[in-house]
Structure formats: C-alpha cells, structure tokens
Amino acid sequence: MNRTKINILLKAAAPDDNVLLKGWVRTRRDSKDFSFMEINDGSCLKNIQVIADSDLNNYEAVKKITTGSAVAVTGSLIESPGRGQKWEIKAQNVEIISIAPDSYPLQKKRHTDEFLRTIAHLRPRTNKYGAGFRIRSELSFAIHRFFKEKGFKYIHSPIITGSDCEGAGELFRVTTFDRGVPQSQEKQPGYTEDFFGAETYLTVSGQLAAEMFALALGDVYTFGPTFRAENSNTRRHVAEFWMVEPEMAFCDINGNMDLGEEMIKYLVACLLEECPEDIELFARFVDKKLMAVLDNIVKSDFVRIDYAEAIDILKKTKRKFEFPVKFGTDLQTEHERFLTEHYFKKPVIVINYPKTIKPFYMRLNDDDRTVAAMDVLVPGIGEIIGGSQREERFDVLQARMQATGVDPQNYWWYLDSRKYGTAPHSGFGLGFERLLMLVTGISNIRDVIPFPRTPGNIEF
Ligand code: 4AD
Ligand code: MG
C-alpha cells in the first residue's frame, strides 16, 4: 500500500478507506481498552487520531510509544465522533519505527522562539514552525508562478563573484588560502595565486548578472541566496538570506514600482487562498492584527512619495526618533515604520533618494542630486524591497563609478552592456525572509529561515 499524507487524506477520503500513514507521535493516552495517538506527518497543521485496540498483537509495545516517536500505521478511516476532526484511523497494524526517549525536547507545551532557536534541528516539528516553513515553500512556488505568468525568464546568477554590487563592502571572502593568506606571500596577500586568480566573494546580490540577461532576454528574475557580512544583530538582518530580483529591459522607475506593488499583492493574495490554515495559526497565536494587515496590503494602492517629501513628513512629526532626520542621510527602520505604520497606514514606496547614499548603478536624475531609487516599505518591517532604474548611459555610469570609488576596470564587462545596445532598464530586490515576516507576523527574521546565519552563530 502506498503511504498517504494527512493533507491528502483530509481532502479526498471516504469512510472505510484503507490507509497507510507514517508520521511522528504528538501525544498518546490510554483508556481502558484503547490507546489513542495524535499523529502528525508534517504535510499540514492537522494531526490525525489513531485508535489502537488492545487486541493488536504488539499492544504492550504500543502502550510504550512516547511523544516524538516515529510510527507507520495501517488502518481504516472512520468518521470521528470527537470534536474538531472529521476522521480518525482505526489501526490494524502499528509499526514502531523508532522510540524517542523522554529527553525529547518538544513535549506538549508552548516553547519560546528563543528556546526553539537552540534546537533549530527540531523546531520544524512544532505547529508554528511547521506552518511557517510550509508557507515558505508555497511562497517560493508562488514567486515562480507570478513571473512565469508574466513571461519572465528565470536566471541563475552566480553565488561566487568578484564584484561588490552594493559597494558597501559587506563581503564574505571566498578563498582556498589557509586562513585567507597565501602561504608564499604571508606578508603581502596577493590573490593572483588563489583559486580564481583574483579576490572573490559570496554574492551580495544577483543584480549585475540579471542586468546582463535583461539586456538580452527582456524580462528576467533571479531567486537565490545572497550573503552580507553586516555585523548587525537586528531582528531584520541575517548574513545569508534569499532575494528575489526581477530586472526588466525597456522599463523605467514607474514600471518598476508597478511590478513591486503587483508582486507583493499577488503573493499575499496567493497565500490567503492556498494556506488558510497555516496563516490562521499565525493570526491567532502570533499577531492578532495579521489578517487586517494582509487585507490592507491586498486592497490598498501603495503610496508613492519622494524621499524629500518623506524627510519633510518625518521632520514635522512630534514623534521622537532615536536617529536624527536629515536630508542626505538614509532612512532608519524607525523612520520607515513610522511612515508606513503610523502616517500612511499602508505600504509606501519612497523614490528619488540622494545619490550620495545609494550605489553607483542607480540612474542619475536630471537634478543631478538624486537617483531613481525606490524602496518599498511595509508595516511591521520597514524596507522589504530595494531597487532602482539603472544608469544606462555609459559616460554617466563611468563617472558615477569613479565618484563612488568603484574601479571601472573591474566592471569593464558591465560597462560594455552600456556600449552595445544599451537601453533603459529597471529592477529590484525583494528580501524573501522579510516577505515571510510580513505574511506571518513573525517579528524576528531568525524564525522564518530554516537555519539562520547571524554573527557568532553557526551551530546547525
Ligand atoms: O536594498 P538592497 O541592498 O538591494 C540590492 O541588493 C539590489 N542590488 C537589489 C536589486 O535592485 N536587484 O537589498 C534588497 C532587499 C532589501 O530590501 C531587504 O528586503 C533584503 O534585500 N535584505 C536583507 N534581508 C535580510 N537580511 C539582510 N542582511 C538583508 N539585506 C537586504
Ligand atoms: Mg536597500
């Protein structure tokens, strides 16, 4: 008999169906002639109850099954007389695959997120993390579906690169040298002898590669891991995160904003449709305002304002901020959240930031002071998307590189794209974990990624 899964069984089962179910025991209790087990197989939030009759030939062993043990149950489905469940399984056979000792850390009670982070290898077995990671899976597929429906091509940008796209220097080095220093040149590290014959890093963004492909295939996107050696322990930064990066040829900043808004709305709507039970868990136990926030995102037009306007608003409010508000400085999370949560009460797209605080590749505006940058800010998080129209003019780009300390020689191939058939183009990066925080109400980014990488933490 083929193994069935609880999610399938709950959708398409009929009384007296014979089933084989494998999963982990959440709880077990005995009554006079029966042992009742709640089994979960990870396919959905719901458990299924198994009734093991005392005439099973291994009944004595069944009575010793503990929480966390793995079992395979063959039996027939019967309609459940109990509340809150449609079906239960009357076992004909209970195979004990393994018994978990009493030290199993996930006994039936609520555990804190902090505690669960110390057992990151077991936390997906809890209701909350199981739901969170099923949502993560669904959202990944929804992203691919969104782009496929719009005719975008999926590009695999490299993970090892020689460039620092954001120019922020937050790079993890990739090297085969022992401790990063070439043995023959211990005093003067030189990378010509290293594996690639040059300094190499883990990518901070797939954008530069995506741009090359947008200028060939039209509309493209990347979706992969990116790495930043930011030594900041905040609840919205990790050193390894996944980024979705669309890039569109013949598209300006307005088309870019439209895509960002459409994409966020599409993904939220998809989830509400496809993961109602898992989302409901978060709405009940994690963030009571979650449904209202998600509903608001799907229904409202995102506000679009200039950076200068945002600065004005922030200056005029009576709210006290930790960081000062000044034209020419980047918006801090507290500023972003004030704008989206308190002032506009919906997602906000801020555009046209001062060129001095943005990377070389953003298109210089006619005022010569600002660039065609866009950040999308959402409640509870702040920045979820960062993007821009790209500088497509060779001379301007080269000058911007020089002004920002980027050596044009290292980016000759990038500049080439502005020499041969250059065209206006735009794109952005959406932080996948920040999107997950938004749709689950989870407030710490460490809790939406399977094995979080943060400074000083690489246990799992
Ligand atoms: O704003 P960022 O730095 O933009 C770029 O990297 C562009 N090259 C993207 C592009 O235009 N193709 O990063 C984009 C998004 C941020 O808005 C944020 O959601 C997320 O990536 N992000 C992080 N998420 C988790 N941890 C970190 N350390 C992050 N840094 C950025
Ligand atoms: Mg940014």
Side-chain angles (χ1 to χ4, degrees):
M1 204 193 303
N2 285 334
R3 172 163 80 102
T4 186
K5 295 185 186 175
I6 296 176
N7 63 335
I8 293 171
L9 193 150
L10 292 179
K11 266 190 208 132
D16 301 327
D17 275 358
N18 275 320
V19 294
L20 165 60
L21 187 90
K22 300 186 183 188
W24 295 270
V25 176
R26 284 290 176 83
T27 57
R28 195 185 58 76
R29 65 188 166 84
D30 296 318
S31 77
K32 194 159 157 279
D33 295 314
F34 303 98
S35 191
F36 297 95
M37 285 184 283
E38 288 281 332
I39 310 236
N40 187 277
D41 66 358
S43 64
C44 62
L45 191 60
K46 288 219 167 76
N47 303 329
I48 196 148
Q49 174 157 284
V50 170
I51 304 152
D53 206 308
S54 57
D55 51 10
L56 286 177
N57 54 16
N58 63 344
Y59 190 64
E60 283 312 306
V62 166
K63 283 208 295 187
K64 295 198 181 94
I65 293 175
T66 51
T67 294
S69 299
V71 294
V73 176
T74 326
S76 55
L77 273 186
I78 52 174
E79 272 180 83
S80 174
R83 273 192 312 137
Q85 61 201 25
K86 191 159 176 224
W87 300 107
E88 45 194 40
I89 297 175
K90 187 162 176 359
Q92 274 122 33
N93 186 50
V94 175
E95 183 197 337
I96 299 168
I97 297 173
S98 69
I99 292 285
D102 291 340
S103 57
Y104 183 59
L106 298 175
Q107 299 299 336
K108 201 169 167 65
K109 64 166 188 152
R110 280 205 45 215
H111 300 284
T112 64
D113 295 320
E114 289 76 12
F115 168 69
L116 292 171
R117 268 176 234 146
T118 68
I119 50 164
H121 58 305
L122 294 173
R123 66 179 182 165
R125 291 242 200 121
T126 62
N127 279 344
K128 178 169 152 186
Y129 286 84
F133 291 117
R134 278 188 298 272
I135 287 174
R136 191 176 166 113
S137 170
E138 285 305 322
L139 257 190
S140 305
F141 282 104
I143 283 165
H144 288 298
R145 201 163 57 238
F146 173 76
F147 286 121
K148 177 122 177 92
E149 283 170 9
K150 297 185 80 69
F152 280 59
K153 304 290 179 267
Y154 178 32
I155 304 299
H156 297 121
S157 50
I159 286 172
I160 301 176
T161 75
S163 44
D164 177 6
C165 173
E166 295 308 294
E170 295 161 341
L171 300 163
F172 286 105
R173 230 172 247 296
V174 173
T175 176
T176 52
F177 291 153
D178 191 22
R179 291 185 164 270
V181 179
Q183 272 122 27
S184 62
Q185 304 174 19
E186 271 177 347
K187 288 203 184 84
Q188 265 273 295
Y191 288 88
T192 49
E193 282 175 43
D194 203 350
F195 191 91
F196 296 103
E199 285 189 71
T200 40
Y201 322 100
L202 294 177
T203 187
V204 295
S205 160
Q207 177 194 324
L208 303 187
E211 278 188 57
M212 300 305 101
F213 276 75
L215 291 173
L217 303 189
D219 293 340
V220 301
Y221 71 104
T222 72
F223 181 13
T226 45
F227 308 86
R228 297 201 185 170
E230 257 167 300
N231 201 1
S232 54
N233 257 311
T234 77
R235 36 169 221 90
R236 51 172 224 169
H237 289 93
V238 272
E240 177 180 285
F241 61 100
W242 284 62
M243 214 196 312
V244 186
E245 296 184 89
E247 191 71 37
M248 295 167 287
F250 312 111
C251 175
D252 66 9
I253 185 82
N254 294 312
N256 208 21
M257 286 193 276
D258 292 344
L259 185 79
E261 178 168 347
E262 188 186 342
M263 179 173 168
I264 290 177
K265 285 177 170 163
Y266 176 99
L267 295 173
V268 171
C270 259
L271 263 197
L272 291 174
E273 174 99 17
E274 283 163 34
C275 304
E277 280 180 0
D278 287 332
I279 290 283
E280 197 199 311
L281 176 143
F282 290 99
R284 283 180 62 193
F285 298 114
V286 176
D287 180 1
K288 294 262 187 278
K289 287 186 280 194
L290 184 65
M291 285 307 186
V293 170
L294 296 182
D295 200 48
N296 181 250
I297 286 173
V298 175
K299 290 196 181 126
S300 46
D301 290 330
F302 292 13
V303 175
R304 299 178 181 196
I305 56 165
D306 261 39
Y307 166 89
E309 235 177 299
I311 292 289
D312 271 352
I313 293 170
L314 292 166
K315 273 189 168 159
K316 281 189 191 130
T317 169
K318 291 194 182 73
R319 163 91 46 138
K320 291 273 164 291
F321 296 115
E322 191 187 333
F323 294 91
V325 177
K326 210 174 110 214
F327 190 99
T329 58
D330 214 352
L331 299 183
Q332 300 292 327
T333 307
E334 56 173 349
H335 307 140
E336 295 172 344
R337 289 188 57 177
F338 173 79
L339 290 170
T340 173
E341 277 167 51
H342 301 286
Y343 194 84
F344 290 111
K345 299 186 167 52
K346 51 176 161 171
V348 179
I349 312 183
V350 181
I351 57 171
N352 299 328
Y353 285 72
K355 66 177 179 185
T356 47
I357 54 169
K358 290 292 182 187
F360 68 90
Y361 57 71
M362 295 190 175
R363 193 177 196 280
L364 191 61
N365 289 326
D366 292 342
D367 62 10
D368 204 29
R369 221 159 68 108
T370 60
V371 287
M374 66 171 227
D375 276 8
V376 180
L377 318 178
V378 291
I381 290 153
E383 178 190 344
I384 191 168
I385 280 180
S388 73
Q389 183 168 341
R390 317 308 188 187
E391 184 53 76
E392 86 284 11
R393 298 161 295 184
F394 185 97
D395 295 338
V396 185
L397 180 59
Q398 200 173 34
R400 283 285 296 147
M401 281 180 167
Q402 272 148 356
T404 53
V406 173
D407 185 355
Q409 271 180 2
N410 292 344
Y411 293 84
W412 65 269
W413 52 274
Y414 185 74
L415 279 160
D416 256 12
S417 68
R418 276 56 171 177
K419 203 158 44 179
Y420 306 118
T422 191
H425 61 288
S426 302
F428 62 78
L430 171 132
F432 187 50
E433 283 72 25
R434 294 208 185 157
L435 178 67
L436 282 160
M437 291 169 74
L438 176 70
V439 300
T440 58
I442 288 179
S443 59
N444 194 313
I445 196 166
R446 292 165 180 78
D447 300 330
V448 296
I449 189 162
F451 295 101
R453 270 70 180 103
T454 49
N457 169 25
I458 194 82
E459 182 72 17
F460 303 98

